[in-house]
């Protein structure tokens, strides 16, 4: 195991990664001046449990009020408790220790998973880049797309409206990127670039040649981890803006990375193995392997709630390991070709979205690996404009196909390859190596 001794902060151990929420914007916001009675009146109009859950959990950078303030108002107003007891009268006065907030979060996740598994879907598509976009990320109601034409673009996940554009400096070519509420982090083959969300010009470019041939990255404030062609992973600290540690993960190129909340780095390789390193101890904890012949790992994701690691391989296999035991739970061949992306909504322990070279969007079960649903756009039916105000955004019908169907019999125009996907609440965004972006929106089956 190789780990550098420089920790970047007087030799101290790497601190716990923060899932920080940006401060609410102050310009034009008057919510803090409203008294609780007025805000209770606003929230009392939200009769549906999912609306309440969204208000409780929505990102703190909302233009009206911060996350903490909204949570306090909703919970102290007893709205959630009233609705909770209305739906569960037997719980009132009982010794149940489940929190009301947890209950509504569970309802929100159940509705999300149910929409993915059984609800109707439609796809919204628009031209997003001059040349092409091969990668996408979605967080807190925003979509970031790019890699292909030296620019990153930010969009609203709800309206598909353009929000901002970020230029890659010095004509460098990005290979990966990620973002949060405050920053955008991009990786070229030998450099890290950072933008503020509200500024199109890069505010930081890493200097020197600390790493070469970077292939992938994973970012969680305050750190970004870079996977390189030589099998090493470099950890950069966003505050000191320097490399804090280096780990030897593989003897082959690192193809994809995932970070866990408890300071673990998970990295896939071209030889089909997944290595796990602990930043706290600086040790390599183990290597996960497939029961099949060595297959390049192309995508990784980690579920905090269930401690499961998911992977997609070059031969169409989806894999699942238990991080606590380092043992495989299931391995299924869900696609005849390369899987480029495996993603799920944080907090969802039921469904996993998978996409790859065959262009079929698959929803699979996290617990068993069984394919729940296969979707393609139904281009044989005419597309329609999403609204008169945005005629450039086409709304396309979505068709479900049988998991055992011969994919080659489906025209390629209905299933362009999925080079990347990202999952939000009842939404999936996909890129296809073309100049358009597609957002798949799901609804509960009963609506």
């Amino acid at each position: 195991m190789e780990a550098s001794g420089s920790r970047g902060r007087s030799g101290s151990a790497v601190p716990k990664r923060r899932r920080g929420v940006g401060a609410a914007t102050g310009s034009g916001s008057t919510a803090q001046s409203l008294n609780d009675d007025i805000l209770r009146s606003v929230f009392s109009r939200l009769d549906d449990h999912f609306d309440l859950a969204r208000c409780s959990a929505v990102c703190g950078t909302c233009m009206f009020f911060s996350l903490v303030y909204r949570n306090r108002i909703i919970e102290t107003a007893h709205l959630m408790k009233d609705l909770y007891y209305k739906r569960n009268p037997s719980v009132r006065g009982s010794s149940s220790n489940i929190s009301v907030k947890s209950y509504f979060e569970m309802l929100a996740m159940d509705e999300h998973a149910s929409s993915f598994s059984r609800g109707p879907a439609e796809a919204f598509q628009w031209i997003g880049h001059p040349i092409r976009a091969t990668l996408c990320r979605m967080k807190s109601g925003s979509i970031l797309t790019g890699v292909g034409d030296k620019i990153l673009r930010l969009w609203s996940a709800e309206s598909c409206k353009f929000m901002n554009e970020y230029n890659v400096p010095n004509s460098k070519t990005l290979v990966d990127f990620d973002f949060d509420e405050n920053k955008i982090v991009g990786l070229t083959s030998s450099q890290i670039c950072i933008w503020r969300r509200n500024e199109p010009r890069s505010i930081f470019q890493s200097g020197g040649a600390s790493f070469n041939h970077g292939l992938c990255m994973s970012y969680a404030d305050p750190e970004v981890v870079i996977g390189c062609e030589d099998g090493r992973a470099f950890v950069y600290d966003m505050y000191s803006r320097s490399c804090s540690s280096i780990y030897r993960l593989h003897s082959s190129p690192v193809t994809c990375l995932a970070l866990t909340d408890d300071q673990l780095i998970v990295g896939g390789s071209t030889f089909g193995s997944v290595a796990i390193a602990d930043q706290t101890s600086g040790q390599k904890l183990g290597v996960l392997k497939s029961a099949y012949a060595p297959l390049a790992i192309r995508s990784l994701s980690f579920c905090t709630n269930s401690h499961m690691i998911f992977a997609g391989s070059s031969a169409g296999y989806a894999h699942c390991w238990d991080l606590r035991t380092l043992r495989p739970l299931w391995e299924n061949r869900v696609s005849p070709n390369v899987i480029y992306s495996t993603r799920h909504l944080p907090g969802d322990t039921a469904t996993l979205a998978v996409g790859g070279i065959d262009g079929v969007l698959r929803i699979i079960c996290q617990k068993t690996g069984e394919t729940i649903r296969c979707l393609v756009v139904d281009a044989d039916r005419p597309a329609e404009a999403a609204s008169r105000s945005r005629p450039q955004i086409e709304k396309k019908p979505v068709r479900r196909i049988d998991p055992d169907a011969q994919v080659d019999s489906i025209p390629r125009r209905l299933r362009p390859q999925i080079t990347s996907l990202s999952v939000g609440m009842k939404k999936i965004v996909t890129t296809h190596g073309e100049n358009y972006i597609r957002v798949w929106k799901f609804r509960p089956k009963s609506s």
Side-chain angles (χ1 to χ4, degrees):
M1 175 68 190
E2 173 186 346
S4 73
S6 63
R7 290 285 177 171
R9 276 175 297 279
S10 304
S12 62
V14 180
K16 274 286 184 181
R17 202 171 285 111
R18 297 181 303 164
R19 294 200 176 277
V21 178
T25 57
S27 59
S29 174
T30 59
Q32 302 292 349
S33 63
L34 299 178
N35 61 44
D36 288 5
D37 288 337
I38 294 176
L39 291 175
R40 287 191 187 100
S41 176
V42 172
F43 287 119
S44 68
R45 288 164 168 76
L46 301 177
D47 297 324
D48 182 75
H49 67 269
F50 191 70
D51 288 338
L52 287 171
R54 285 195 297 181
C55 283
S56 178
V58 73
C59 167
T61 55
C62 174
M63 64 184 298
F64 294 112
F65 16 70
S66 71
L67 174 66
V68 174
Y69 194 71
R70 278 199 311 277
N71 281 345
R72 181 173 70 86
I73 294 301
I74 294 177
E75 292 175 0
T76 59
H78 301 287
L79 292 174
M80 298 179 79
K81 288 185 178 180
D82 290 343
L83 186 54
Y84 173 63
Y85 290 133
K86 184 184 297 184
R87 295 175 62 91
N88 299 270
S90 61
V91 176
R92 185 184 292 273
S94 71
S95 58
S96 174
N97 59 1
I98 184 174
S99 70
V100 175
K101 183 176 181 180
S102 296
Y103 171 78
F104 280 99
E105 287 175 348
M106 282 194 312
L107 285 179
M109 288 300 106
D110 286 347
E111 188 160 341
H112 165 81
S114 174
S115 299
F116 270 21
S117 301
R118 298 182 295 275
E122 53 194 5
F124 295 82
Q125 180 176 304
W126 71 97
I127 301 298
H129 287 259
I131 302 175
R132 67 182 182 275
T134 57
L135 295 179
C136 59
R137 304 286 183 261
M138 177 161 50
K139 293 180 181 177
S140 304
S142 298
I143 296 170
L144 188 65
T145 59
V147 180
D149 53 12
K150 302 184 185 303
I151 59 173
L152 296 172
R153 286 182 173 171
L154 192 69
W155 314 87
S156 165
E158 186 61 36
S159 66
C160 307
K161 180 181 178 181
F162 171 81
M163 297 169 63
N164 212 337
E165 180 177 290
Y166 309 89
N167 296 304
V168 182
N170 302 327
S171 300
K172 297 284 186 177
T173 300
L174 280 178
V175 296
D176 205 350
F177 59 83
D178 206 343
F179 74 114
D180 60 18
E181 292 86 355
N182 301 305
K183 294 186 291 294
I184 292 171
V185 181
L187 171 70
T188 71
S189 63
S190 60
Q191 196 173 50
I192 298 171
C193 302
I194 303 174
W195 297 261
R196 291 193 183 96
R197 283 275 298 265
N198 59 352
E199 292 184 14
R201 189 175 64 179
S202 175
I203 60 172
F204 169 71
Q205 300 173 49
S206 61
S210 300
F211 62 90
N212 288 311
H213 303 292
L215 301 178
C216 58
M217 59 160 278
S218 187
Y219 164 64
D221 188 57
E223 295 165 345
V224 57
V225 182
I226 298 102
C228 296
E229 193 175 58
D230 63 3
R232 294 187 294 175
F234 291 74
V235 180
Y236 269 79
D237 182 273
M238 293 290 98
Y239 295 115
S240 66
R241 296 185 176 182
S242 62
C243 180
S244 59
S245 52
I246 304 171
Y247 297 89
R248 171 67 65 178
L249 295 182
H250 299 284
S251 59
S252 60
V254 179
T255 53
C256 49
L257 287 164
L259 302 179
T260 74
D261 289 342
D262 49 358
Q263 296 290 88
L264 300 182
I265 299 172
V266 184
S269 75
T270 55
F271 285 176
S273 58
V274 176
I276 302 172
D278 184 357
Q279 292 192 72
T280 303
S281 66
Q283 299 298 311
K284 189 172 179 178
L285 299 183
V287 176
L288 309 176
K289 294 184 178 180
S290 168
Y292 300 96
L295 308 168
I297 302 297
R298 303 301 299 265
S299 176
L300 282 172
S301 60
F302 171 70
C303 182
T304 301
N305 299 59
S306 63
H307 302 282
M308 291 181 181
I309 297 173
F310 304 102
S313 74
S314 58
Y317 281 89
H319 309 262
C320 176
W321 294 273
D322 189 327
L323 185 59
R324 295 164 294 189
T325 63
L326 303 184
R327 293 182 177 178
L329 298 179
W330 51 259
E331 293 181 300
N332 291 336
R333 193 176 191 190
V334 299
S335 170
N337 293 299
V338 180
I339 293 175
Y340 286 131
S341 203
T342 54
R343 294 288 183 266
H344 60 86
L345 180 71
D348 179 18
T349 59
T351 62
L352 182 72
V354 174
I357 200 169
D358 70 353
V360 178
L361 179 61
R362 292 177 173 88
I363 307 297
I364 67 177
C365 175
Q366 287 192 21
K367 294 180 176 62
T368 66
E370 295 178 358
T371 300
I372 301 172
R373 200 175 188 187
C374 298
L375 302 171
V376 295
V377 296
D378 193 355
D380 291 333
R381 293 166 56 189
E384 57 183 273
S387 73
R388 293 182 179 178
S389 61
R390 299 192 310 275
Q392 73 276 16
I393 301 175
E394 292 183 311
K395 183 169 70 173
K396 294 178 174 290
V398 171
R399 176 160 62 95
R400 180 173 183 170
I401 63 174
D402 191 278
D404 298 324
Q406 292 295 322
V407 175
D408 290 340
S409 65
I410 303 172
R412 288 297 303 182
R413 70 179 184 279
L414 302 183
R415 50 180 188 91
Q417 66 171 336
I418 297 174
T419 57
S420 179
L421 66 82
S422 190
V423 178
M425 183 66 74
K426 297 192 288 187
K427 297 182 185 70
I428 298 175
V429 58
T430 56
T431 50
H432 306 267
E434 303 289 344
N435 62 353
Y436 60 86
I437 302 159
R438 185 176 289 170
V439 174
W440 310 64
K441 296 187 179 182
F442 299 78
R443 302 189 306 274
K445 188 174 182 180
S446 58
S447 67

